[in-house]
Amino acid sequence: MIGAAVNALMQILSPPMRAILWRAIGLALVLIVVVSVGLQRLLSWLAGSSELWAETMLGPAFHTPLNILAWVLSIAAGLGIVFGAVFLMPAITSLVAGVFVDDVAEIVEHEYYPADRSGAALPIGLAMAEGVKTALLTLLVYLIALPFVFVGVGVIVFFVATAWLLGREYFELAAMRFRSPAEAKAMRRDNASTVFMAGLIIAAFVAIPIVNLATPLFGMAFMVHLHKRLSGPRPELITPDRRSR
Protein backbone atom coordinates (compact mmCIF):
# COMPACT_ATOMS: atom_id res chain seq x y z
CA MET A 1 0.00 0.00 0.00
CA ILE A 2 2.82 2.42 0.84
CA GLY A 3 4.45 1.62 -2.49
CA ALA A 4 1.19 2.41 -4.30
CA ALA A 5 0.95 5.75 -2.47
CA VAL A 6 4.54 6.64 -3.35
CA ASN A 7 3.96 5.78 -7.01
CA ALA A 8 0.84 7.97 -7.03
CA LEU A 9 2.71 10.88 -5.46
CA MET A 10 5.56 10.62 -7.95
CA GLN A 11 3.18 10.48 -10.88
CA ILE A 12 1.22 13.62 -9.97
CA LEU A 13 4.01 15.88 -11.28
CA SER A 14 4.92 13.72 -14.26
CA PRO A 15 4.56 15.45 -17.67
CA PRO A 16 1.42 13.51 -18.72
CA MET A 17 -0.32 14.48 -15.47
CA ARG A 18 0.54 18.18 -15.39
CA ALA A 19 -2.18 19.32 -17.77
CA ILE A 20 -4.78 17.38 -15.78
CA LEU A 21 -3.34 18.75 -12.53
CA TRP A 22 -3.76 22.37 -13.61
CA ARG A 23 -7.28 21.75 -14.88
CA ALA A 24 -8.25 19.97 -11.65
CA ILE A 25 -6.80 22.79 -9.53
CA GLY A 26 -8.60 25.39 -11.65
CA LEU A 27 -11.96 23.64 -11.35
CA ALA A 28 -11.52 23.14 -7.58
CA LEU A 29 -10.70 26.83 -7.09
CA VAL A 30 -13.74 27.88 -9.13
CA LEU A 31 -15.99 25.67 -7.00
CA ILE A 32 -14.45 27.01 -3.78
CA VAL A 33 -14.98 30.62 -4.90
CA VAL A 34 -18.58 29.98 -5.99
CA VAL A 35 -19.45 28.24 -2.70
CA SER A 36 -17.65 30.87 -0.59
CA VAL A 37 -19.27 33.84 -2.36
CA GLY A 38 -22.68 32.20 -2.12
CA LEU A 39 -22.28 31.57 1.62
CA GLN A 40 -20.93 35.09 2.22
CA ARG A 41 -23.89 36.68 0.44
CA LEU A 42 -26.34 34.51 2.35
CA LEU A 43 -24.78 35.23 5.74
CA SER A 44 -24.53 38.97 5.02
CA TRP A 45 -28.21 39.06 4.07
CA LEU A 46 -29.15 37.17 7.22
CA ALA A 47 -27.05 39.52 9.37
CA GLY A 48 -28.66 42.61 7.79
CA SER A 49 -32.17 41.22 8.11
CA SER A 50 -31.56 40.22 11.73
CA GLU A 51 -30.20 43.69 12.56
CA LEU A 52 -33.25 45.37 11.04
CA TRP A 53 -35.61 43.02 12.90
CA ALA A 54 -33.80 43.54 16.22
CA GLU A 55 -33.82 47.33 15.83
CA THR A 56 -37.53 47.28 15.08
CA MET A 57 -38.15 45.23 18.22
CA LEU A 58 -35.78 47.13 20.57
CA GLY A 59 -36.07 50.66 19.21
CA PRO A 60 -33.72 53.26 17.64
CA ALA A 61 -31.69 53.58 20.86
CA PHE A 62 -30.09 50.21 20.14
CA HIS A 63 -29.02 51.16 16.57
CA THR A 64 -25.31 51.64 17.36
CA PRO A 65 -24.87 48.47 19.51
CA LEU A 66 -26.75 46.41 16.93
CA ASN A 67 -24.62 47.90 14.14
CA ILE A 68 -21.44 46.90 15.99
CA LEU A 69 -22.84 43.42 16.66
CA ALA A 70 -23.72 42.98 12.97
CA TRP A 71 -20.18 44.07 12.01
CA VAL A 72 -18.64 41.55 14.45
CA LEU A 73 -20.93 38.80 13.15
CA SER A 74 -19.96 39.62 9.54
CA ILE A 75 -16.27 39.22 10.40
CA ALA A 76 -17.02 35.97 12.23
CA ALA A 77 -19.01 34.75 9.24
CA GLY A 78 -16.10 35.56 6.92
CA LEU A 79 -13.69 33.61 9.10
CA GLY A 80 -16.22 30.80 9.29
CA ILE A 81 -16.33 30.62 5.50
CA VAL A 82 -12.52 30.34 5.36
CA PHE A 83 -12.48 27.50 7.88
CA GLY A 84 -15.55 26.00 6.28
CA ALA A 85 -13.76 25.82 2.95
CA VAL A 86 -11.14 23.59 4.61
CA PHE A 87 -13.83 21.15 5.76
CA LEU A 88 -15.55 21.33 2.37
CA MET A 89 -12.41 20.33 0.46
CA PRO A 90 -13.22 16.57 0.51
CA ALA A 91 -16.67 17.32 -0.96
CA ILE A 92 -15.23 19.66 -3.58
CA THR A 93 -12.49 17.23 -4.61
CA SER A 94 -15.13 14.49 -4.91
CA LEU A 95 -16.94 16.60 -7.52
CA VAL A 96 -13.68 17.32 -9.37
CA ALA A 97 -12.73 13.62 -9.35
CA GLY A 98 -15.81 12.74 -11.38
CA VAL A 99 -14.52 14.92 -14.23
CA PHE A 100 -10.95 13.63 -14.45
CA VAL A 101 -11.27 10.03 -13.24
CA ASP A 102 -10.63 8.35 -16.59
CA ASP A 103 -7.84 10.69 -17.69
CA VAL A 104 -5.86 9.87 -14.56
CA ALA A 105 -6.61 6.14 -14.62
CA GLU A 106 -5.58 5.77 -18.27
CA ILE A 107 -2.19 7.41 -17.64
CA VAL A 108 -1.51 5.17 -14.61
CA GLU A 109 -2.56 2.01 -16.45
CA HIS A 110 -0.50 2.89 -19.53
CA GLU A 111 2.67 3.67 -17.55
CA TYR A 112 2.58 0.95 -14.89
CA TYR A 113 0.49 -1.82 -16.46
CA PRO A 114 1.13 -1.68 -20.21
CA ALA A 115 0.82 -5.46 -20.60
CA ASP A 116 -2.65 -5.54 -19.01
CA ARG A 117 -5.86 -4.78 -20.81
CA SER A 118 -6.91 -1.16 -20.22
CA GLY A 119 -10.03 -0.35 -18.25
CA ALA A 120 -13.18 0.89 -19.96
CA ALA A 121 -13.92 4.59 -19.56
CA LEU A 122 -16.80 5.36 -17.23
CA PRO A 123 -19.81 7.13 -18.74
CA ILE A 124 -19.50 10.78 -17.71
CA GLY A 125 -22.97 10.66 -16.18
CA LEU A 126 -22.01 7.73 -13.95
CA ALA A 127 -18.71 9.31 -12.89
CA MET A 128 -20.37 12.66 -12.09
CA ALA A 129 -23.24 10.94 -10.27
CA GLU A 130 -20.75 9.11 -8.04
CA GLY A 131 -18.94 12.38 -7.35
CA VAL A 132 -22.15 14.22 -6.47
CA LYS A 133 -23.34 11.37 -4.24
CA THR A 134 -20.04 11.35 -2.36
CA ALA A 135 -20.06 15.16 -2.02
CA LEU A 136 -23.60 15.14 -0.59
CA LEU A 137 -22.80 12.20 1.68
CA THR A 138 -19.69 14.06 2.88
CA LEU A 139 -21.76 17.10 3.83
CA LEU A 140 -24.32 14.90 5.62
CA VAL A 141 -21.66 13.00 7.58
CA TYR A 142 -19.90 16.26 8.49
CA LEU A 143 -23.14 17.77 9.78
CA ILE A 144 -23.68 14.67 11.92
CA ALA A 145 -20.06 14.83 13.15
CA LEU A 146 -20.14 18.61 13.84
CA PRO A 147 -21.42 18.32 17.45
CA PHE A 148 -18.35 16.24 18.31
CA VAL A 149 -16.21 19.35 17.72
CA PHE A 150 -17.53 20.73 21.00
CA VAL A 151 -16.45 17.68 23.01
CA GLY A 152 -12.85 17.68 21.81
CA VAL A 153 -12.88 14.75 19.38
CA GLY A 154 -14.19 16.61 16.32
CA VAL A 155 -10.92 16.51 14.39
CA ILE A 156 -10.61 12.74 14.84
CA VAL A 157 -14.23 12.19 13.78
CA PHE A 158 -13.79 14.37 10.70
CA PHE A 159 -10.57 12.59 9.76
CA VAL A 160 -12.06 9.10 10.11
CA ALA A 161 -15.19 10.14 8.19
CA THR A 162 -13.06 11.62 5.41
CA ALA A 163 -10.98 8.44 5.19
CA TRP A 164 -14.07 6.26 4.86
CA LEU A 165 -15.78 8.51 2.31
CA LEU A 166 -12.79 9.17 0.04
CA GLY A 167 -11.47 5.62 0.23
CA ARG A 168 -14.92 4.38 -0.74
CA GLU A 169 -15.32 6.79 -3.67
CA TYR A 170 -11.91 6.49 -5.29
CA PHE A 171 -11.72 2.71 -4.97
CA GLU A 172 -15.14 2.23 -6.55
CA LEU A 173 -14.29 4.63 -9.39
CA ALA A 174 -11.10 2.68 -10.09
CA ALA A 175 -12.87 -0.68 -9.85
CA MET A 176 -15.77 0.36 -12.09
CA ARG A 177 -13.38 0.68 -15.02
CA PHE A 178 -13.20 -3.14 -14.91
CA ARG A 179 -16.39 -4.19 -13.13
CA SER A 180 -20.06 -3.36 -12.97
CA PRO A 181 -21.03 -0.85 -10.25
CA ALA A 182 -22.52 -3.66 -8.16
CA GLU A 183 -19.35 -5.76 -8.47
CA ALA A 184 -17.16 -2.75 -7.64
CA LYS A 185 -19.14 -2.06 -4.48
CA ALA A 186 -19.02 -5.74 -3.51
CA MET A 187 -15.24 -5.81 -3.96
CA ARG A 188 -14.91 -2.70 -1.83
CA ARG A 189 -16.95 -4.33 0.94
CA ASP A 190 -14.89 -7.54 0.70
CA ASN A 191 -11.71 -5.47 1.18
CA ALA A 192 -13.22 -2.90 3.54
CA SER A 193 -10.30 -2.74 5.97
CA THR A 194 -7.71 -2.36 3.20
CA VAL A 195 -9.74 0.32 1.44
CA PHE A 196 -10.24 2.18 4.71
CA MET A 197 -6.50 2.11 5.45
CA ALA A 198 -5.89 3.51 1.97
CA GLY A 199 -8.56 6.11 2.70
CA LEU A 200 -6.57 7.23 5.75
CA ILE A 201 -3.67 8.07 3.45
CA ILE A 202 -5.96 10.07 1.13
CA ALA A 203 -7.49 11.82 4.16
CA ALA A 204 -4.00 12.84 5.31
CA PHE A 205 -3.32 14.19 1.81
CA VAL A 206 -6.56 16.21 1.68
CA ALA A 207 -5.75 17.71 5.10
CA ILE A 208 -2.71 19.53 3.69
CA PRO A 209 -3.68 23.05 2.53
CA ILE A 210 -2.93 23.93 -1.11
CA VAL A 211 -1.54 20.43 -1.75
CA ASN A 212 -5.05 19.03 -1.28
CA LEU A 213 -6.12 20.64 -4.56
CA ALA A 214 -4.38 17.69 -6.23
CA THR A 215 -6.41 15.14 -4.23
CA PRO A 216 -8.43 13.89 -7.27
CA LEU A 217 -5.21 12.94 -9.07
CA PHE A 218 -3.53 11.39 -6.06
CA GLY A 219 -6.64 9.55 -4.86
CA MET A 220 -7.47 8.09 -8.26
CA ALA A 221 -3.89 7.11 -9.12
CA PHE A 222 -3.48 5.52 -5.69
CA MET A 223 -6.66 3.47 -5.98
CA VAL A 224 -5.85 2.30 -9.51
CA HIS A 225 -2.69 0.73 -8.06
CA LEU A 226 -4.59 -0.70 -5.09
CA HIS A 227 -7.32 -2.20 -7.28
CA LYS A 228 -4.70 -3.81 -9.51
CA ARG A 229 -2.93 -5.33 -6.54
CA LEU A 230 -6.15 -6.70 -5.04
CA SER A 231 -7.55 -8.15 -8.27
CA GLY A 232 -4.37 -8.98 -10.21
CA PRO A 233 -3.98 -8.68 -14.00
CA ARG A 234 -7.31 -10.19 -15.09
CA PRO A 235 -8.42 -8.83 -18.48
CA GLU A 236 -11.49 -11.03 -18.38
CA LEU A 237 -12.97 -8.71 -15.75
CA ILE A 238 -13.97 -6.32 -18.55
CA THR A 239 -17.30 -7.42 -19.92
CA PRO A 240 -19.23 -5.82 -22.80
CA ASP A 241 -22.40 -5.40 -20.76
CA ARG A 242 -20.66 -3.83 -17.76
CA ARG A 243 -22.44 -0.48 -18.05
CA SER A 244 -25.89 -1.99 -18.33
CA ARG A 245 -25.77 -3.96 -15.09
Side-chain angles (χ1 to χ4, degrees), residues 121-195:
L122 297 177
I124 185 64
L126 175 60
M128 289 303 301
E130 291 296 320
V132 171
K133 282 195 298 184
T134 300
L136 293 176
L137 185 58
T138 300
L139 294 177
L140 176 61
V141 171
Y142 279 12
L143 287 174
I144 295 172
L146 189 59
F148 292 97
V149 172
F150 303 103
V151 295
V153 295
V155 174
I156 297 174
V157 173
F158 278 118
F159 186 80
V160 171
T162 300
W164 177 73
L165 289 164
L166 295 186
R168 174 180 180 271
E169 180 195 18
Y170 286 109
F171 183 82
E172 289 183 2
L173 286 174
M176 280 192 287
R177 287 175 54 80
F178 295 90
R179 305 165 185 267
S180 70
E183 290 170 340
K185 294 178 187 298
M187 184 179 185
R188 190 257 307 166
R189 289 192 294 267
D190 291 341
N191 298 277
S193 59
T194 301
V195 173

Side-chain angles (χ1 to χ4, degrees), residues 37-161:
V37 170
L39 286 175
Q40 193 276 332
R41 294 290 177 86
L42 176 62
L43 293 173
S44 295
W45 177 80
L46 289 174
S49 299
S50 299
E51 180 187 1
L52 181 61
W53 175 83
E55 187 172 339
T56 301
M57 294 292 294
L58 298 174
F62 287 87
H63 174 74
T64 299
L66 289 173
N67 213 0
I68 294 173
L69 179 60
W71 180 73
V72 171
L73 290 176
S74 296
I75 294 176
L79 293 174
I81 289 170
V82 172
F83 287 109
V86 174
F87 289 107
L88 287 174
M89 276 305 297
I92 290 171
T93 56
S94 294
L95 292 174
V96 175
V99 178
F100 301 106
V101 53
D102 286 308
D103 294 335
V104 174
E106 286 172 6
I107 291 173
V108 175
E109 290 170 8
H110 177 74
E111 180 173 341
Y112 284 92
Y113 310 99
D116 295 352
R117 188 173 179 182
S118 299
L122 297 177
I124 185 64
L126 175 60
M128 289 303 301
E130 291 296 320
V132 171
K133 282 195 298 184
T134 300
L136 293 176
L137 185 58
T138 300
L139 294 177
L140 176 61
V141 171
Y142 279 12
L143 287 174
I144 295 172
L146 189 59
F148 292 97
V149 172
F150 303 103
V151 295
V153 295
V155 174
I156 297 174
V157 173
F158 278 118
F159 186 80
V160 171

